């Protein structure tokens, strides 16, 4: 059987409340094993899962890369990486030794057929030696240009199907395509080899606890859903701000830009989770069906509207958190006359019964003053003036803000009387994760890797979802490309984006939230 | 911490209010102090040493469950008769930029006959609209007068089976309480029983269950003939409770039924005899399972479970073993099954602290049905386990 469907095992010892599900023993094959993502995120996440007893005995990792390493060099590299990057601090020697027994290195280049033939043999040998039952996860942590080649090679060598009744799944990192056409093309190539149910397109934002809590908050409480619509909501603001510049990713970033790098994936996910209808069940397809419906309901963007509903920015030299920051065009790998945007603000309308007429403002940028992600729902104001000496426009509207990072929590702002005075002042009701649940949230990658091994694709992006988001945003890319060159840079590093972004939202009589 | 001159609930509430006002005033400039309450935790101590231990646990518990702790120090045998009370904030040390979260604690020390009044004081001091949990550490929780007085208001009773004086009798009383806590008729809430001793077994159950998440190994679960459970006793006292609960758990999950003469005792070793459901047909289909529970001597080792081994001896041999690898919190698991390569792995499993166990129990919103099943099954073994002077329980 080549699974594909997550069949729950009927292990009677799993009955009851407390025991976490653990996946079956499997081999995770990481393509791009010598890369940054592997050392910074993937292997620390896997080690922490093992440390917390969430992985079974026999669990193995195979690193696939070109470098001339062997098993022991690779283990040493990963040991240093985990020591440097694990949320649990340096490894415990005895534990690492046990974990490292299951780490192997496979040297080959992505386009070398012989390398895949040897990989198939190697995996069979590990199955035999560690009883992993033919279960595999292929993780594409390579530059996106290599995805199609790797997928084709896996197919050509029969690695898309498992021997002996196991399952095979593939995780594909973002970016998934760079516009609608390339995303469709990549989907076609991937789905020529794997079934959709084997494919896990990862967006690590969905692994964040607060993002998952958005659905719990909306659908496990009775009091929010009745006001979660056009009748009560004035508008929504979704912000993902980064204080860092492009660092050493200049080469990649200059070909991508903020719309591809952030809006198409992370902000679109936040938008769909905020706007979606209640799913009929909390399962992978029901949840994703509703998300896709949101994307399909968004008013398509006509080329002539692009400049009106978007604002682009690029940072110049400045300072963030008291430190001087180079301008974007001075970064390594960036063209000195680059037209790539490092900031985007846009306004979208979800044209369905729930949201018609309610603008969703999205903004994301680099070299902004703070690293902060949040979704803010601003409600309509009180309809009439009741309190003397307080002009109605001075009463701040109610805002429900869901902070995703840092300091995760939910805040509701409302008006209150100042004691002893006839004045009204906004106050907040605050829920902070840190104060109600004193436990550290697991890293997003831990959650997502585990979900994939367990065969749960709820928190991964489906084919139609990724294509619908590209279909929505590709006209913006085209509109920008066709328009006049921008006068970049147009904001100083350390400012909240270009002045045009403030004017953009002010035209609608609104303002960006101060974060 | 101020000792109050006169104890009534209004004075104590007033003192609490003053405490929070002072706290708010003294923390200007830094991160604000957040007072947070997610439950009422009533904890009973029988002496000052126990009270100190409970206070320490309550302080740690703020990290996961900020709460109002009502510490009742009940010393009915001591003189002079009086009740004293004091209040304190239990705060979590926080890093820069992180709000300081505080719960609060009211301690009531009662000596002599007035101890009987402590329950009424507690009732007046419960924070409204929050769950009420009663924690009764020590050897005889079910005989505690506080339990009888508070039965109608509590949502959960927490005990620790590792402390119990008479394993056989107490196991039966636990099972009886779990079946019917004796809540007054017409009461809206059902009291749930929690056992910190059971909570301490979670990692062991987890590691045992993990063997059988592997598809090819799952069938062996139905073929087990023998289970060996080794525990390190606490001091001189033999308390096979963890072993009995694990045995109850396995039997409940795998439908093993205790035989008529279910228990034989050889020195400190218990043998439990059970029948497992038939696999196939014919005279060989019905098989017996033996569970052996024995203390293991490891000088200096921490009390608790030390080894758990599940074996199929008849036909294809299969051996699943979870055991302590050292005293630094590492556990070795190994699966050796004919026709498969042996799989061994070292994993981390630091024995949880009392506060961590308590936090794990408080995280449960409902009854742990698996615990009930394990407990009821384990209680059935105790018919053959009479110890002198044991009451037969409720």
């Amino acid at each position: 059987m080549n699974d594909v469907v997550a069949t729950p095992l009927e292990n009677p010892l799993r009955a009851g409340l407390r025991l976490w599900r653990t996946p079956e023993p499997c081999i995770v094959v990481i393509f791009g094993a010598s890369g940054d993502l592997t050392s910074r995120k993937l292997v620390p996440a896997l080690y922490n899962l093992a440390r917390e007893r969430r992985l079974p005995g026999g669990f193995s990792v195979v690193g696939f890369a070109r470098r001339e390493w062997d098993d022991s060099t690779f283990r040493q590299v990963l040991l240093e990486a985990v020591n440097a990057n694990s949320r649990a601090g340096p490894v415990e020697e005895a534990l690492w030794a046990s974990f490292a027994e299951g780490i192997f290195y496979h040297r080959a280049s992505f386009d070398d057929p012989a390398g895949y033939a040897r990989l198939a043999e190697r995996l069979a040998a590990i199955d035999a030696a560690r009883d992993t039952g033919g279960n595999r996860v292929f993780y594409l942590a390579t530059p996106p240009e290599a995805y199609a080649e790797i997928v084709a090679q896996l197919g050509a060598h029969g690695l898309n199907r498992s021997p002996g009744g196991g399952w095979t799944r593939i995780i594909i990192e973002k970016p998934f395509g760079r516009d609608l056409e390339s995303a469709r093309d990549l989907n076609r190539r991937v789905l020529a080899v794997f079934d959709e149910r084997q494919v896990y397109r990862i967006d690590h934002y969905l692994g964040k606890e607060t993002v998952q809590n958005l659905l719990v908050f909306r659908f496990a409480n009775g009091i929010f859903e009745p006001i979660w619509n056009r009748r009560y909501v004035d508008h929504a603001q979704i912000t993902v701000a980064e204080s860092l510049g492009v660092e050493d990713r200049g080469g990649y970033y200059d070909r991508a830009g903020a719309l591809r790098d952030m809006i198409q994936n992370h902000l679109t996910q936040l938008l769909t989770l905020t706007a979606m209808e209640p799913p009929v069940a909390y399962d992978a397809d029901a949840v994703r069906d509703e998300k896709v419906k949101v994307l399909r309901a968004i008013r398509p963007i006509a080329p002539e509207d692009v400049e009106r509903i978007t604002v682009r920015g690029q940072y110049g030299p400045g300072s963030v958190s008291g430190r001087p920051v180079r301008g974007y065009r001075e970064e390594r790998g960036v063209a000195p006359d680059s037209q790539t945007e490092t900031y985007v603000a846009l306004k979208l309308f979800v044209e369905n019964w729930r949201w018609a007429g309610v603008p969703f403002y999205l903004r994301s940028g680099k070299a902004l003053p703070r690293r902060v992600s949040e979704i803010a729902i601003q409600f309509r104001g009180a309809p009439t003036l009741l309190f003397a000496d307080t002009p109605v426009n001075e009463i701040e509207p109610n805002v429900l803000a869901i902070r995703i990072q840092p300091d995760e929590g939910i805040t509701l702002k409302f008006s209150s009387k100042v004691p002893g005075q006839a004045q009204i002042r906004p106050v907040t009701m605050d829920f902070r994760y840190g104060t109600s649940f004193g436990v550290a949230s697991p890293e997003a990658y831990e959650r997502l890797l585990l979900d994939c091994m367990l065969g749960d694709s709820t928190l991964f992006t489906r084919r139609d979802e990724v294509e619908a988001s590209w279909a929505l945003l590709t006209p913006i890319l085209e509109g920008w490309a066709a328009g006049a060159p921008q006068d970049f840079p147009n904001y100083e590093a350390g400012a909240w984006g270009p002045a045009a972004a403030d004017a953009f939202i002010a035209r609608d009589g609104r303002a960006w939230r101060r974060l | 911490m101020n000792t109050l001159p006169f104890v009534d609930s209004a004075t104590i509430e007033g003192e609490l209010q003053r405490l929070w006002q002072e706290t708010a005033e003294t923390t200007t400039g830094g991160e604000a102090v957040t007072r947070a309450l997610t439950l009422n935790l009533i904890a009973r101590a029988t002496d000052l040493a126990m009270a100190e231990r409970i206070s320490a646990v309550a302080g740690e518990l703020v990290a996961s469950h900020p709460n109002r702790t009502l510490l009742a120090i009940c010393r009915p045998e001591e003189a002079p008769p009086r009740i004293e009370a004091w209040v304190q904030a239990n705060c979590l040390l926080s890093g820069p930029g992180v709000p300081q979260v505080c719960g609060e604690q009211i301690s009531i020390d009662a000596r002599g006959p007035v101890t009987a009044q402590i329950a009424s004081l507690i009732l007046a001091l419960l924070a409204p609209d929050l769950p009420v949990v009663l924690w009764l550490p020590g050897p005889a929780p079910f005989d505690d007068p506080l339990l009888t007085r508070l039965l109608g208001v509590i949502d959960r009773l927490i005990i620790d089976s590792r402390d119990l004086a008479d394993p056989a009798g107490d196991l039966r009383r636990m099972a009886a309480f779990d079946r019917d806590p004796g809540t007054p008729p017409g009461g809206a809430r059902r009291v749930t029983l929690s056992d910190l001793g059971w909570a301490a077994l979670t990692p062991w159950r987890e590691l045992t269950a993990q063997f059988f998440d592997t598809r090819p190994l799952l069938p062996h679960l139905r073929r087990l003939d023998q289970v060996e459970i080794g525990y390190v006793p606490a001091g001189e006292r033999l308390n096979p409770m963890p072993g009995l609960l694990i045995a109850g758990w396995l039997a409940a999950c795998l439908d093993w039924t205790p035989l008529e003469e279910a228990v034989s005792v050889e020195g400190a070793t218990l043998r439990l005899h059970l029948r497992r459901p038939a696999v196939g047909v014919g005279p060989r289909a019905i098989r017996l399972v033996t569970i052996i529970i024995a203390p293991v001597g490891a000088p200096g080792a921490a009390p608790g479970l030390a080894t758990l081994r599940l074996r199929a001896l008849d036909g294809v041999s299969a051996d699943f073993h979870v055991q302590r690898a050292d005293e630094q919190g590492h556990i070795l698991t190994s699966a050796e099954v004919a026709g498969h390569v042996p799989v061994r792995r070292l994993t981390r499993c630091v024995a949880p602290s009392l506060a961590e166990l308590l936090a794990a129990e408080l995280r449960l919103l409902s009854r742990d049905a698996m615990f009930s099943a394990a407990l009821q099954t384990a209680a059935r073994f105790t018919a053959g386990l009479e110890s002198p002077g044991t009451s037969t329980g409720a």
Side-chain angles (χ1 to χ4, degrees):
Chain A
M1 184 198 76
N2 292 302
D3 154 82
V4 238
V5 192
T7 347
L9 286 168
E10 284 173 20
N11 176 353
L13 299 184
R14 285 255 166 247
L17 289 174
R18 303 176 194 226
L19 305 191
W20 298 96
R21 278 176 71 203
T22 42
E24 292 178 79
C26 61
I27 309 173
V28 174
V29 183
I30 305 176
F31 290 89
S34 54
D36 193 42
L37 184 69
T38 307
S39 334
R40 248 178 351 100
K41 295 288 184 190
L42 302 182
V43 176
L46 291 170
Y47 170 74
N48 279 332
L49 287 172
R51 182 178 170 275
E52 286 168 13
R53 306 187 297 273
R54 304 291 297 274
L55 295 179
F59 172 82
S60 306
V61 177
V62 173
F64 186 117
R66 270 179 300 237
R67 281 199 207 174
E68 293 202 26
W69 288 345
D70 57 12
D71 290 349
S72 71
T73 332
F74 187 48
R75 288 172 188 171
Q76 189 55 35
V77 169
L78 296 186
L79 172 63
E80 285 161 23
V82 174
N83 276 333
N85 296 306
S86 164
R87 69 184 166 91
V91 301
E92 286 176 50
E93 263 176 46
L95 275 188
W96 175 262
S98 178
F99 181 69
E101 279 174 18
I103 298 179
F104 307 94
Y105 184 73
H106 184 75
R107 186 177 161 250
S109 58
F110 301 141
D111 55 358
D112 173 18
Y116 290 84
R118 283 186 289 114
L119 177 67
E121 289 164 17
R122 190 100 197 251
L123 296 181
I126 296 172
D127 277 340
R130 296 183 56 83
D131 215 14
T132 34
N135 300 322
R136 283 103 196 245
V137 173
F138 294 109
Y139 199 117
L140 306 193
T142 64
E145 302 79 52
Y147 293 169
E149 174 74 37
I150 295 171
V151 168
Q153 293 284 3
L154 288 172
H157 292 86
L159 286 162
N160 52 338
R161 299 285 181 261
S162 287
W167 42 258
T168 293
R169 299 176 187 136
I170 182 166
I171 303 182
I172 303 177
E173 263 293 335
K174 72 154 197 171
F176 196 94
R178 47 179 291 110
D179 53 25
L180 178 58
E181 198 189 327
S182 58
R184 277 186 180 151
D185 181 56
L186 183 54
N187 268 331
R188 265 196 303 272
R189 287 163 185 266
V190 170
L191 296 175
V193 174
F194 293 95
D195 298 324
E196 175 65 28
R197 282 171 179 275
Q198 291 176 282
V199 182
Y200 290 71
R201 296 172 193 82
I202 200 166
D203 181 335
H204 73 264
Y205 249 62
L206 289 178
K208 290 179 185 289
E209 287 287 329
T210 3
V211 174
Q212 293 160 39
N213 189 39
L214 191 55
L215 292 186
V216 175
F217 177 79
R218 286 190 56 197
F219 302 128
N221 292 295
I223 61 168
F224 302 111
E225 212 43 32
I227 54 167
W228 208 260
N229 56 47
R230 62 191 301 276
R231 197 162 162 203
Y232 298 98
V233 174
D234 178 73
H235 74 279
Q237 291 185 20
I238 301 177
T239 305
V240 176
E242 297 176 287
S243 55
L244 294 177
V246 293
E247 307 289 290
D248 47 7
R249 295 166 65 226
Y252 155 75
Y253 196 89
D254 208 36
R255 279 174 285 125
L259 193 85
R260 288 190 177 98
D261 190 48
M262 300 297 287
I263 305 276
Q264 185 272 329
N265 35 65
H266 305 331
L267 279 93
T268 308
Q269 290 294 348
L270 299 182
L271 168 66
T272 52
L273 291 171
T274 306
M276 70 190 261
E277 296 298 319
V280 291
Y282 190 67
D283 67 35
D285 277 331
V287 171
R288 297 186 296 182
D289 285 346
E290 294 306 330
K291 288 165 69 188
V292 172
K293 281 190 210 161
V294 173
L295 293 171
R296 293 202 177 126
I298 293 175
R299 184 190 297 168
I301 297 155
E304 61 274 19
D305 285 341
V306 169
E307 293 298 344
R308 197 170 50 77
I309 64 149
T310 67
V311 173
R312 273 176 288 172
Q314 186 192 76
Y315 66 87
S319 91
V320 177
S321 298
R323 294 209 186 113
V325 171
R326 274 199 296 270
Y328 175 70
R329 288 176 173 181
E330 285 96 67
E331 299 278 9
R332 202 151 42 91
V334 173
D337 57 350
S338 171
Q339 279 289 311
T340 302
E341 80 286 357
T342 63
Y343 177 97
V344 181
L346 71 154
K347 177 166 70 168
L348 298 173
F349 287 94
V350 180
E351 299 214 308
N352 59 17
W353 275 59
R354 186 190 283 266
W355 293 117
V358 177
F360 285 78
Y361 298 94
L362 276 55
R363 64 174 162 161
S364 178
K366 289 199 172 290
L368 300 183
R370 293 180 59 197
R371 170 176 169 264
V372 55
S373 300
E374 71 148 44
I375 299 164
I377 308 291
Q378 182 166 324
F379 293 92
R380 293 176 188 274
T384 58
L385 170 68
L386 185 62
F387 303 99
D389 306 330
T390 311
V392 74
N393 59 4
E394 279 182 19
I395 296 183
E396 292 200 25
N398 300 122
V399 176
L400 183 88
I402 300 164
R403 284 186 308 275
I404 289 149
Q405 63 187 19
D407 193 18
E408 298 91 335
I410 298 173
T411 300
L412 177 66
K413 184 163 79 170
F414 60 97
S415 294
S416 177
K417 183 179 171 300
V418 178
Q421 299 171 25
Q423 279 180 0
I424 292 174
R425 208 188 70 182
V427 293
T428 58
M429 276 203 297
D430 236 347
F431 153 67
R432 295 167 114 165
Y433 262 81
T435 61
S436 290
F437 307 103
V439 286
S441 300
E443 278 278 325
Y445 275 98
E446 293 174 27
R447 167 68 197 254
L448 294 173
L449 281 162
L450 199 60
D451 275 7
C452 172
M453 289 185 251
L454 289 165
D456 181 352
S457 56
T458 310
L459 300 177
F460 294 83
T461 315
R462 205 168 56 187
R463 172 193 189 156
D464 50 350
E465 198 178 346
V466 79
E467 289 183 9
S469 78
W470 277 122
L472 175 70
L473 299 173
T474 301
I476 298 182
L477 292 167
E478 291 169 352
W480 285 350
Q486 297 285 300
D487 187 16
F488 282 164
N490 60 354
Y491 72 98
E492 234 179 68
W496 278 110
D502 295 328
F504 166 73
I505 193 167
R507 276 203 297 274
D508 296 345
R510 302 184 176 102
W512 293 113
R513 277 169 52 76
R514 280 193 304 270
L515 296 175
Chain B
M1 190 186 305
N2 301 324
T3 304
L4 303 175
F6 173 68
V7 171
D8 66 19
S9 57
T11 318
I12 295 174
E13 290 277 14
E15 192 63 18
L16 258 185
Q17 210 161 11
R18 195 156 64 235
L19 172 81
W20 287 114
Q21 261 164 11
E22 279 171 17
T23 316
E25 281 159 17
T26 51
T27 50
T28 46
E31 271 289 336
V33 167
T34 307
R35 174 194 188 192
L37 301 181
T38 58
L39 65 115
N40 292 289
L41 175 67
I42 308 168
R44 183 269 295 124
T46 47
D47 55 46
L48 291 179
M50 190 190 271
E52 244 172 68
R53 282 198 301 275
I54 290 175
S55 283
V57 169
E60 266 185 74
L61 199 61
V62 177
S64 55
H65 297 85
N67 65 82
R68 175 177 286 186
T69 301
L70 295 141
L71 170 60
I73 309 166
C74 301
R75 301 190 279 170
E77 310 298 328
E78 291 190 29
R82 64 175 295 184
I83 294 191
E84 283 175 312
W86 59 95
V87 297
Q88 70 192 71
N90 286 333
C91 295
L92 194 65
L93 288 176
S94 61
V98 180
Q100 189 171 35
V101 183
C102 298
E104 59 202 23
Q105 179 173 333
I106 303 169
S107 307
I108 307 162
D109 184 9
R111 277 169 283 184
V114 286
T115 306
Q117 293 166 24
I118 211 165
S120 66
L121 195 52
I122 286 171
L123 283 177
L125 289 169
L126 293 173
D129 204 22
L130 289 178
V132 182
V133 175
L134 175 61
W135 175 29
L136 296 176
F142 297 106
D143 298 326
D144 201 294
L146 214 49
L147 176 60
T148 323
R149 289 294 309 274
L150 297 174
L151 201 54
V153 295
I154 60 173
D155 297 283
R156 188 175 287 272
L157 168 66
I158 299 183
I159 62 161
D160 192 336
S161 60
R162 300 170 301 179
D163 292 346
L164 300 180
D166 162 29
D170 284 325
L171 198 52
R172 280 198 293 273
R173 298 184 74 178
M174 281 167 70
F177 186 91
D178 179 62
R179 276 196 305 274
D180 174 18
T183 323
R189 63 174 61 77
R190 184 172 188 328
V191 184
T192 306
L193 178 68
S194 273
D195 171 18
L196 302 184
W198 169 255
L201 297 174
T202 304
W204 288 83
R205 294 196 296 126
E206 208 170 71
L207 291 170
T208 308
Q210 274 180 15
F211 289 124
F212 306 101
D213 286 340
T214 305
R215 244 171 261 231
L217 298 188
L218 182 59
H220 296 287
L221 194 52
R222 297 291 183 193
R223 310 181 38 245
L224 300 175
D225 307 302
Q226 186 164 310
V227 178
E228 296 160 28
I229 304 169
Y231 66 96
V232 179
E236 295 298 300
R237 202 162 52 86
L238 292 179
N239 182 348
M241 197 67 99
L244 288 167
L245 286 173
I246 285 284
W249 169 61
L250 289 170
C253 290
L254 300 173
D255 299 323
W256 296 343
T257 355
L259 298 181
E260 200 75 3
E261 298 285 322
V263 187
S264 53
V265 184
E266 299 157 25
T269 303
L270 304 179
R271 283 174 186 274
L272 312 180
H273 308 285
L274 306 100
R275 189 174 48 235
R276 70 172 195 227
V279 180
V281 286
R284 289 173 61 82
I286 294 177
R287 308 289 308 180
L288 300 183
V289 183
T290 310
I291 303 180
I292 304 161
I293 305 174
V296 288
L305 226 51
T307 167
L308 172 56
R309 189 171 187 187
L310 280 56
R311 300 162 79 186
L313 302 167
D314 185 52
V316 182
S317 80
D319 184 346
F320 305 95
H321 200 171
V322 183
Q323 60 188 312
R324 285 192 204 172
D326 53 34
E327 286 299 314
Q328 279 79 54
H330 294 116
I331 284 188
L332 186 67
T333 71
S334 65
E336 294 185 16
V337 178
H340 289 263
V341 285
V343 178
R344 288 159 70 85
R345 129 186 98 142
L346 191 74
T347 180
R348 179 173 164 276
C349 184
V350 179
S353 70
L354 214 47
E356 285 164 339
L357 293 175
L358 205 55
E361 286 308 303
L362 296 175
R363 218 166 283 139
L364 297 177
L365 290 176
S366 55
R367 192 153 171 263
D368 178 353
M370 198 67 257
F371 169 58
S372 289
L375 180 60
Q376 298 303 335
T377 312
R380 292 172 62 188
F381 299 134
T382 60
L385 262 185
E386 285 306 335
S387 39
T390 303
S391 80
T392 48

